[in-house]
């Protein structure tokens, strides 16, 4: 059988692992594909760097030359970032080559351009590794659930922040302390911005929302709040109502009114399947009309898991090439509007330090009522200087909830708004 | 666009739901497929039965006529059982029609015949709904993880038995009592044999093993033990070591020596992701070389979830038909031997009522040693007539473990072997 010729763009941790696996499992892969998979070349910036197990004669610094070379059938992009990755992928697609990419930032920023090019030139563009590492997630959304109507996707899609929040939950640590520990153990980078400010999770949310709702969504459409402001008090408040704070990527459909795509730290019941996702693990919970509730769980990052996802795509695309077929095209036919955060329906959990005097509860409740926010539960705790009100609202537009909190900040009976946290799941 | 014409074989709970969804979501499905999906006919045994929302003019009792009719592109089989389902599917495949089936019993008994026919006639055969209802599982195994090496699949794939065992765990109920309650609530059938004797789980284990190991496995190859013998003492013993008893479908690869496919009640740590799967939910835990540990969780049965899985397959196959492609063919190229249970490596948790006398522990330990079984932990409990030894072994061939228990049954110091339960996961 004529081999499938693969060009690899980028050879860092993931790339090196792909090279290793392609060599080690070549017989198995050939049997599964129906043809051998051959490495045609590897584009790197620094060919002199030592890469164990990577054949030096395959290295080149001419990435575009390799990506568009005539003897290449399939281009695998593991460079990351927007450029030159975008130009290289477009170059490959335009010369009819199929592409496998792990590039969440690029897919979230400019997926439409890439998908349009793939359609136009009849090539496959697969990107399972871009969200939640090795957890099969995009293919299930794109193919298994394609006959269903997805209502909501709730995901823990960033291992670093989950590790930090888990430490805060388990040991009562503050954010700064937990971050430092995560950095020491290699779970967080020296510059943790992409993770803790939720840029990473927001890119993944955009990709998930697009697939779930057949609607174009970019990273810029995603409402994003990181975890740097999460306090020990937030976490303790969650604990008191048997919840845990998680950074959640939420893609939600509000019937035909539109979709909401957002990432923020929120309280979720410990009994929720996402509530027990510990450490740096990822999990994505999907609520669909017919399928009901589903969860996908696994390692969300790391060289080997990411390589596994890339390799799965390489095999799938290679099978398509061998059989002359192509995979399902991306559809964004539904083109639902993306709602601003203010119009998204959420719930708040608010802790207020209040003056210890008769009538405070009534005055505070009045403030919620004035904004048309209904209260589900209220708890009074402590006395004197420690007097606290803990309020959980019913569902309401986020704008009304935010306005309520804003007016409470300057309310004469409220000494301090000690904690504000959104709530997801049934509390 | 030329429509995709679908013949439905069987119209019970799942079939009726499929008819409803095809009508209700026809616009969405057409957009996702690239062509409308049209119902060409529905084969039923009793056309006079009332079926809400099912067009009477589409009904026929001539199933084979419908399955092989010229204007049909895709045949959906939701009859279940071996015959006439097998003949109908073969008839459809031989006339070049693609097939979607939810029939676990047939796929587990005679999948090879069906797959061979699909290959020979260039047709698709999809069957996501046959295992774990709506949980996307077969496609991830078949496609997402196809570039990886799967070591082990551990599944809770039968909701009825999980419900019963969960009740036993939560309320300390005995098997008979928990079964009766499950029957009252509709979680168990009047004749619960297929569930409680694990025939259902064994069929699913065969299907999973085939996909995971690219090896032909039939239901007859699966070592099967049901849950009817599970006692309150077994469950209490598990609790004492922070474990829970689950009916597990286990597909395990022992390097190139072979694979083991088995279903039995076993103890698993509560902290294991499968340990918190409650009620009638299903979950499948996959351990792969590169991807690491993954879990898929959701509703394993019911009309709507099963219909969702079938519909996902209908869309996938329809897309293939529209683009003139076909899905990945089944491979069983690896053809690894299926090991007998005796050669499978497992661990036992044994509770012994023993004579309260010096030296019993030594005598019992000697029995394990004689069979080359190493003990990981032993605990002595109670005194006098209540004296008990609880032993957890290290991993050993099941044959050696079973022989040890057998010899303990007639050991003079052992009054009774009170409980024997295999252990999975790290204890």
């Amino acid at each position: 059988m004529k081999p499938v010729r693969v060009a690899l763009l980028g050879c860092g941790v993931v790339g090196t692992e792909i090279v290793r696996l392609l060599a080690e499992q070549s017989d198995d892969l050939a049997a599964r594909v129906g043809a051998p998979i051959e490495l045609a070349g590897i584009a790197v910036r620094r060919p002199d760097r030592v890469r164990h197990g990577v054949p030096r004669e395959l290295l080149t610094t001419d990435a575009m030359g390799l990506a568009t070379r005539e003897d290449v059938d399939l281009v695998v992009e593991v460079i990351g970032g927007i450029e030159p990755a975008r130009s290289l992928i477009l170059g490959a697609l335009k010369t009819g080559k199929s592409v496998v990419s792990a590039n969440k930032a690029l897919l979230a920023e400019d997926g439409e351009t890439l998908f349009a090019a793939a359609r136009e030139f009849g090539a496959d563009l697969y990107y399972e590794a871009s969200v939640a590492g090795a957890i099969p997630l995009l293919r299930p959304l794109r193919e298994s659930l394609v006959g269903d109507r997805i209502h909501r996707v709730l995901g823990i899609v960033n291992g670093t922040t989950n590790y930090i929040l888990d430490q805060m939950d388990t040991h009562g640590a503050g954010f700064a302390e937990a971050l430092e520990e995560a950095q020491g153990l290699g779970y967080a980078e020296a510059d943790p911005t992409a993770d803790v400010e939720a840029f990473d999770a927001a890119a993944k949310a955009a990709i998930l929302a697009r697939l779930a709702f057949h609607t174009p969504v970019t990273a810029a459409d995603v409402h994003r709040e990181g975890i740097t402001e999460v306090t020990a008090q937030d976490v303790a408040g969650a604990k008191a109502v048997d919840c845990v704070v998680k950074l959640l990527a939420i893609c939600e459909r509000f019937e035909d009114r539109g979709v909401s795509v957002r990432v923020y730290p929120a309280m979720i019941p410990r009994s929720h399947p996402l509530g027990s996702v510990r450490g740096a693990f990822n999990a994505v919970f999907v609520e669909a009309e017919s399928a009901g509730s589903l969860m996908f769980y696994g390692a969300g990052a790391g060289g080997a898991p990411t390589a596994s996802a890339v390799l799965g795509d390489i095999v799938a695309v290679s099978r398509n090439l061998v059989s002359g077929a192509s995979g399902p095209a991306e559809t964004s036919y539904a083109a639902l509007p993306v709602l601003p955060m203010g119009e998204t329906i959420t719930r708040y959990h608010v802790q207020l330090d209040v003056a210890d005097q008769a009538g405070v509860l009534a005055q505070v409740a009045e403030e919620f009522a004035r904004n048309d926010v209904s209260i589900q539960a209220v708890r009074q705790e402590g006395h004197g200087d420690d007097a606290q009100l803990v309020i959980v609202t019913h569902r309401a537009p986020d704008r009304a909830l935010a306005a309520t909190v804003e007016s409470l900040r300057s309310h004469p009976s409220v000494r301090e708004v000690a904690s504000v946290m959104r709530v997801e799941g049934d509390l």
Side-chain angles (χ1 to χ4, degrees), chain A:
Chain A
M1 282 295 286
K2 191 173 157 291
V4 175
R5 303 262 300 164
V6 171
L8 182 65
L9 310 182
C11 199
V13 175
V14 174
T16 307
E17 183 67 11
I18 292 169
V19 172
R20 191 182 72 77
L21 290 170
L22 282 175
E24 190 183 291
Q25 308 201 13
S26 61
D27 290 351
D28 274 327
L29 295 174
R32 294 174 194 181
V33 167
I37 297 179
E38 252 179 45
L39 211 45
I42 305 169
V44 294
R45 261 191 310 187
R46 288 183 297 261
D48 300 331
R49 215 171 114 190
V50 177
R51 296 176 179 85
H52 287 292
V54 175
R56 290 190 76 99
E57 66 277 16
L58 292 179
L59 298 182
T60 171
T61 54
D62 179 11
M64 187 58 92
L66 176 61
T68 56
R69 226 168 71 187
E70 206 162 319
D71 66 325
V72 167
D73 304 302
L74 167 52
V75 172
V76 177
E77 182 268 315
V78 287
I79 301 172
I82 306 302
E83 284 295 345
R86 173 167 46 197
S87 302
L88 292 171
I89 291 177
L90 286 172
L93 292 170
K94 283 177 183 169
T95 50
K97 300 173 197 335
S98 287
V99 172
V100 171
S101 169
N103 193 329
K104 57 183 170 277
L106 175 57
L107 282 154
E109 177 160 314
D110 202 12
E112 291 303 315
T113 303
L114 304 183
F115 298 134
R119 255 194 312 274
E120 184 181 348
F121 298 97
D124 280 342
L125 172 58
Y126 278 47
Y127 51 100
E128 181 68 67
S130 66
V131 181
I135 308 176
L137 184 59
L138 304 192
R139 184 172 282 107
L141 283 179
R142 195 159 115 150
E143 303 182 36
S144 307
L145 291 170
V146 71
D148 209 329
R149 179 183 291 252
I150 293 173
H151 294 307
R152 194 150 76 136
V153 177
L154 270 182
I156 296 171
V157 293
N158 180 275
T160 302
T161 49
N162 200 58
Y163 180 86
I164 291 171
L165 291 171
D166 191 24
Q167 288 299 106
M168 291 175 70
D169 180 63
T170 311
H171 304 300
F175 169 75
E177 189 188 333
L179 169 62
E180 202 173 314
E181 199 204 317
Q183 286 171 320
L185 291 168
Y187 286 123
E189 315 225 6
D191 176 359
T193 311
D195 293 318
V196 299
E197 295 292 2
F199 289 100
D200 175 82
K204 292 165 178 170
I207 294 172
L208 290 174
R210 188 179 192 289
L211 285 173
F213 305 128
H214 301 271
T215 286
V217 178
T218 70
D221 296 322
V222 181
H223 174 83
R224 178 185 54 75
E225 299 174 30
I227 66 163
T228 55
E229 316 268 290
V230 177
T231 64
Q233 176 149 22
D234 294 330
V235 173
K239 253 188 181 162
V241 289
D242 217 18
C243 282
V244 58
V245 175
K246 296 288 187 190
L247 180 69
L248 296 178
I250 306 171
C251 315
E252 189 167 5
R253 177 175 182 154
F254 293 97
E255 297 307 323
D256 292 333
R257 201 157 69 78
V259 300
S260 159
V261 192
R262 53 203 205 262
V263 178
Y264 46 64
M267 289 169 39
I268 194 162
R270 257 170 226 281
S271 58
H272 190 285
L274 288 177
S276 53
V277 175
R278 307 291 307 272
F281 275 92
N282 279 202
V284 176
F285 191 79
V286 178
E287 297 168 18
E289 173 103 10
S290 296
S293 298
L294 302 169
M295 191 171 81
F296 304 82
Y297 166 97
T306 306
S308 167
V310 170
L311 223 58
D313 279 353
I314 292 176
V315 170
V317 172
S318 296
R319 280 172 167 173
N320 289 345
L321 290 170
V322 167
S323 68
S326 54
E330 295 294 324
T331 62
S332 54
Y333 71 90
L336 296 164
V338 179
L339 302 175
M341 189 61 208
E343 290 180 33
T344 296
I345 309 297
T346 64
R347 293 167 67 201
Y348 275 29
H349 176 278
V350 183
Q351 301 178 52
L352 305 172
D353 294 337
V354 293
D356 186 16
Q357 60 193 36
V360 172
L361 174 54
Q363 292 165 26
V364 166
E366 168 62 23
E367 211 57 54
F368 280 87
R370 227 171 38 82
N371 286 285
D372 265 342
V373 173
S374 159
I375 291 174
Q376 184 197 324
V378 60
R379 210 169 70 238
Q380 301 208 48
E381 281 178 355
H383 289 289
D385 285 354
D386 278 339
Q388 199 170 63
L389 279 183
V390 180
I391 293 157
V392 184
T393 74
H394 279 298
R395 285 160 59 84
D398 199 80
R399 175 181 298 124
L401 292 159
T404 310
V405 168
E406 213 34 56
S407 58
L408 287 173
R409 287 194 200 281
S410 54
H411 194 283
S413 300
V414 175
R415 290 189 293 123
E416 198 193 352
V417 177
S419 162
V420 179
M421 189 64 51
R422 294 192 186 87
V423 180
E424 301 292 338
D426 295 322
L427 190 66

